[in-house]
Amino acid sequence: MDPLSDVLRAVNLAGAFFYAVEARAPWCVELVAARELAPRLLPEAEHLISYHILTEGTCWGGLADEPPIEMRAGDVIVFPHGDPHRMADAPRPPGSGDPGTQPARYRETLCLGPSGPVSARFVCGFFGCDRRPYNPLLATLPRRILLRGVDEGWLGTFARQVVAESRAPRAGSDSVLARLAELMFIEVLRRHVEQLPPGQAGWLAGLRDPVVGRALALLHERPAHAWSLAELAGAVASSRSRLAERFTAFVGEPPIQYLARWRMQLAAGRLATTSAKVAAVGAEVGYESEAAFSRAFKKVVGVSPAAWRAQKVGGARAG
């Protein structure tokens, strides 16, 4: 089992909203927290991840409360937690930019700055995903990810493909564009993992560790299995103490506690998207009785399985 793919499926990574930008100096745009944009951009999403791909020229980008970073053509900047951020032609003080009103999805190009030659072209976009009850990937990502020089290879063609597909729409364009954007984000994550320094902690870094990575793969492969620390340690050829220590150092919690929370993420998805009985959902994630499952679910999520389902189904109908 590939844990990263498993998590991306379970947290419902989807929904690319993006558009092209042409900027002429001087220009500066300030984007508010993505959660403030969610109701209009992707109302079905619980959390938004924002990103920008610079395809031509240079610019400066970064978090609103940190110094900006110079970007060159081929650079990608991602804000996994949807923090307020700023993009500009040069380092500029807070409050000096346009509030960043987004155009309609795909079809429009947003023009920034006065008339004159274009100094930067980039693609801006957003991904939607679940944040609750448990998203181990989101919890481990930094507030900002910057990848340099990705204009070569598959990732480098993404922005060009998006612009071409959006400007000459064909049957199925919306689905093609969404899938392209999701693939782009996955590739960004893969490159981010490859660039993590030795000794880095976190769920993603744990995937590279021979002990923790194997344990994560087994837990994701068989989440309903009644794993014990002893059995899991034997399966990864480690002692119980070493596994517990390394797993906690990387992931932030012991293996069995991680499994309990991951089971609730899987169960929450089933409750929200199917009409399966609560007892059946509990059995799917390893609980022999509805009562035991309901207690575990409420402990992790804060509400009962029935209340969670009612919230999700009611929200979907309202949207």
Side-chain angles (χ1 to χ4, degrees), residues 10-11 130 132-135 261-269:
V11 302
D130 293 341
R132 298 178 61 246
Y134 184 49
N135 186 329
R261 296 217 287 162
W262 179 243
R263 284 173 167 178
M264 295 309 106
Q265 175 64 36
L266 297 176

Side-chain angles (χ1 to χ4, degrees), residues 10 32 50 60 92 109 133 138-140 149 156 168 174-175 198 203 208 218 229 240 256 259 278 289 318:
V32 299
S50 51
W60 291 73
R92 299 187 182 280
T109 296
L138 193 60
T140 196
D174 281 5
S175 293
W203 186 86
R208 301 185 307 180
L218 288 171
L229 181 61
R240 288 178 294 176
I256 305 307
L259 174 62
V278 171
S289 73

Side-chain angles (χ1 to χ4, degrees), residues 26 43 78 188 201 222 247 290 292:
V78 183
V188 165
R222 302 172 64 194
F247 199 100
E290 181 176 344

Side-chain angles (χ1 to χ4, degrees), residues 25 43 47 58 64 71 80 121 127 157 167 171 220-221 223 232 265 289:
H47 177 77
T58 61
M71 296 176 61
R121 285 188 171 91
F127 299 104
T157 67
R167 289 179 175 173
H220 281 262
E221 182 179 354
L232 187 62
Q265 175 64 36
S289 73

Side-chain angles (χ1 to χ4, degrees), residues 8-303:
L8 290 173
R9 281 192 298 269
V11 302
N12 297 313
L13 175 69
F17 180 107
F18 48 87
Y19 52 91
V21 176
E22 292 182 354
R24 298 166 174 82
W27 63 274
C28 180
V29 61
E30 297 182 339
L31 290 97
V32 299
R35 64 177 177 274
E36 298 181 30
L37 304 173
R40 184 168 65 85
L41 300 185
L42 291 170
E44 70 280 6
E46 189 177 56
H47 177 77
L48 287 188
I49 298 169
S50 51
Y51 68 90
H52 308 278
I53 305 173
L54 186 63
T55 58
E56 294 181 29
T58 61
C59 71
W60 291 73
L63 294 159
D65 57 356
E66 292 184 0
I69 301 170
E70 186 175 16
M71 296 176 61
R72 297 176 293 274
D75 291 352
V76 178
I77 192 166
V78 183
F79 301 96
H81 300 278
D83 290 294
H85 58 277
R86 183 184 309 112
M87 303 289 291
D89 65 307
R92 299 187 182 280
S96 60
D98 182 272
T101 301
Q102 283 72 37
R105 188 175 183 174
Y106 305 147
R107 311 302 182 212
E108 297 180 14
T109 296
L110 178 64
C111 295
L112 300 174
S115 60
V118 175
S119 60
R121 285 188 171 91
F122 49 98
V123 172
C124 300
F126 301 87
F127 299 104
C129 69
D130 293 341
R131 186 179 67 253
R132 298 178 61 246
Y134 184 49
N135 186 329
L137 173 62
L138 193 60
T140 196
L141 290 174
R143 296 175 65 205
R144 171 189 56 77
I145 297 173
L146 177 66
L147 296 182
R148 297 286 192 186
V150 295
D151 50 344
E152 297 181 358
W154 181 87
L155 188 56
T157 67
F158 165 75
R160 293 188 291 273
Q161 290 175 321
V162 164
V163 172
E165 185 72 28
S166 63
R167 289 179 175 173
R170 300 156 58 193
S173 284
D174 281 5
S175 293
V176 169
L177 289 165
R179 298 294 87 76
L180 283 172
E182 291 161 23
L183 288 171
M184 185 279 292
F185 181 63
I186 294 170
E187 183 65 17
V188 165
L189 290 176
R190 292 165 68 177
R191 297 197 183 198
H192 174 65
V193 171
E194 292 168 359
Q195 295 177 9
L196 289 175
Q200 178 75 39
W203 186 86
L204 280 172
L207 297 178
R208 301 185 307 180
D209 183 83
V211 173
V212 177
R214 178 59 179 154
L216 283 169
L218 288 171
L219 294 176
H220 281 262
E221 182 179 354
R222 302 172 64 194
H225 181 67
W227 289 104
S228 67
L229 181 61
E231 181 183 10
L232 187 62
V236 300
S238 171
S239 68
R240 288 178 294 176
S241 59
R242 180 168 181 261
L243 172 60
E245 180 181 355
R246 292 189 67 80
F247 199 100
T248 302
F250 277 101
V251 182
E253 58 189 347
I256 305 307
Q257 183 176 337
Y258 172 86
L259 174 62
R261 296 217 287 162
W262 179 243
R263 284 173 167 178
M264 295 309 106
Q265 175 64 36
L266 297 176
R270 290 286 290 163
L271 289 166
T273 58
T274 74
S275 59
K277 293 183 178 180
V278 171
V281 173
E284 289 180 20
V285 296
Y287 289 86
E288 295 182 357
S289 73
E290 181 176 344
F293 169 60
S294 295
R295 286 194 299 270
F297 191 92
K298 188 171 184 178
K299 180 179 179 181
V300 172
V301 183
V303 297

